[in-house]
């Protein structure tokens, strides 16, 4: 082999070595694949009503699914309409900017709704908000259970409404536990302090004040039961020993049986 051919052969080996892919000690390799994300915007159905100023008529016997006061925009109403508690039933809502109020409905806008300029109430079918789906999850704020139930806490006490207004309502609760779940969810937890459960109306009424402010004691039967949220968050550290029973309203109630030293705080220990 002459000198010129030897030089060319060595140069070829050097070129191949310099362009070879590195190998791991396990002989595997990673292949990078370019991916493209496509965002598809779904148009609402043709009969969908979005942002219509108007009013509803001819709804005798029909009642809203719920309400919320304090929404800064119709998007906040859509969030609540499509959350885990409402998504199965909420079909539409109204938003009133002047009072920041959402009214949730289990019927579409075209049932009784008509355009009337100047009402200040704006109607939306939930299909107007395709991005607000049940698959979007939110995390409720974490509330550390209290060790002791405050002595002035109101738990499962029958009464009637005071003059203080609730900030939200919900229709269709099967138990007081359903009301607590909403009171303590991601939309309401930071504001909800107490609630009322109506066992025959299946209504929840939510308050940003203690139950002692929201309720007025009454001797007559009302079938409306008042709860401070702390009743459901109490961890049950022992101060007053008690036995539990389940009421018809879906909650555990306690009956004191043994009282600890008088110097301890008023707390409850529940025995299942």
């Amino acid at each position: 082999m002459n000198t010129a051919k030897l030089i060319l052969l060595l140069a070829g080996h050097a070129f191949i070595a310099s362009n070879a892919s590195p190998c791991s000690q396990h002989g595997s390799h990673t292949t990078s694949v370019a991916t493209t994300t496509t965002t598809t915007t779904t148009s609402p159905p043709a009969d969908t009503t979005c942002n219509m100023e108007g009013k509803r008529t001819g709804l005798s016997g029909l009642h809203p699914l719920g309400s919320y006061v304090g929404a800064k925009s119709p998007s906040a109403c859509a969030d609540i309409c499509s959350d885990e508690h409402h998504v199965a039933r909420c079909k539409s809502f109204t938003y009133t900017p002047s009072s920041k109020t959402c009214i949730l409905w289990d019927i579409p806008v075209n049932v009784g709704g008509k355009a009337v300029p100047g009402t200040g109430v704006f109607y939306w079918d939930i299909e107007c908000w395709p991005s607000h789906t049940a698959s979007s999850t939110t995390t409720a704020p974490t509330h550390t259970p209290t060790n002791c139930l405050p002595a002035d806490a109101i738990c499962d006490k029958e009464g009637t409404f005071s003059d203080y207004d609730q900030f939200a309502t919900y229709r269709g609760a099967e138990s007081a536990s359903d009301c607590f779940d909403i009171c303590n969810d991601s939309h309401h937890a930071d504001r909800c302090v107490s609630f009322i459960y109506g066992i025959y109306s299946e209504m929840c009424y939510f308050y940003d004040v203690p139950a002692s402010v929201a309720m007025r004691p009454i001797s007559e039967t009302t079938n409306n039961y008042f709860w401070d949220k702390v009743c459901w968050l109490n961890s049950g550290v022992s101060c007053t020993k008690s036995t539990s029973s389940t009421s018809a309203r879906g909650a555990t109630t306690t009956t004191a049986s043994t009282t600890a030293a008088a110097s301890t705080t008023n707390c409850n220990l529940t025995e299942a």
Side-chain angles (χ1 to χ4, degrees), residues 208-225:
D208 53 10
V209 294
S212 59
V213 178
M215 77 171 290
R216 182 166 58 86
I218 192 171
S219 57
E220 293 85 359
T221 298
T222 64
N223 296 308
N224 292 318
Y225 292 84

Side-chain angles (χ1 to χ4, degrees), residues 72-228:
K72 296 180 179 180
S73 69
S75 179
C77 302
D79 284 341
I80 298 173
C81 183
S82 58
D83 71 14
E84 67 272 22
H85 303 296
H86 302 89
V87 65
R89 299 173 61 199
C90 189
K91 306 300 181 186
S92 66
F93 63 85
T94 63
Y95 178 62
T96 306
S98 60
S99 61
K100 298 180 178 180
T101 301
C102 312
I103 304 294
L104 311 180
W105 290 87
D106 52 8
I107 52 176
V109 174
N110 61 17
V111 178
K114 63 178 182 178
V116 179
T119 63
V121 181
F122 296 85
Y123 287 74
W124 296 84
D125 282 315
I126 193 59
E127 286 87 356
C128 301
W129 304 82
S131 62
H132 292 64
T133 63
S135 60
S136 61
T137 58
T138 52
T139 303
T142 301
H143 292 268
T144 302
T146 57
N147 287 334
C148 296
L149 188 66
D152 59 351
I154 293 176
C155 305
D156 202 20
K157 186 173 182 179
E158 194 170 15
T160 192
F161 300 88
S162 70
D163 293 331
Y164 197 94
D165 291 333
Q166 64 271 8
F167 73 87
T169 65
Y170 175 73
R171 176 175 57 84
E174 296 182 356
S175 69
S177 178
D178 290 343
C179 299
F180 168 73
D181 287 342
I182 298 174
C183 179
N184 200 44
D185 72 11
S186 57
H187 300 300
H188 304 88
D190 287 337
R191 187 176 179 185
C192 188
V193 177
S194 64
F195 62 85
I196 302 170
Y197 174 56
I199 62 173
Y200 291 123
S201 64
E202 297 184 339
M203 288 291 299
C204 307
Y205 303 86
F206 302 101
Y207 292 86
D208 53 10
V209 294
S212 59
V213 178
M215 77 171 290
R216 182 166 58 86
I218 192 171
S219 57
E220 293 85 359
T221 298
T222 64
N223 296 308
N224 292 318
Y225 292 84
F226 288 73
W227 293 87
D228 281 310

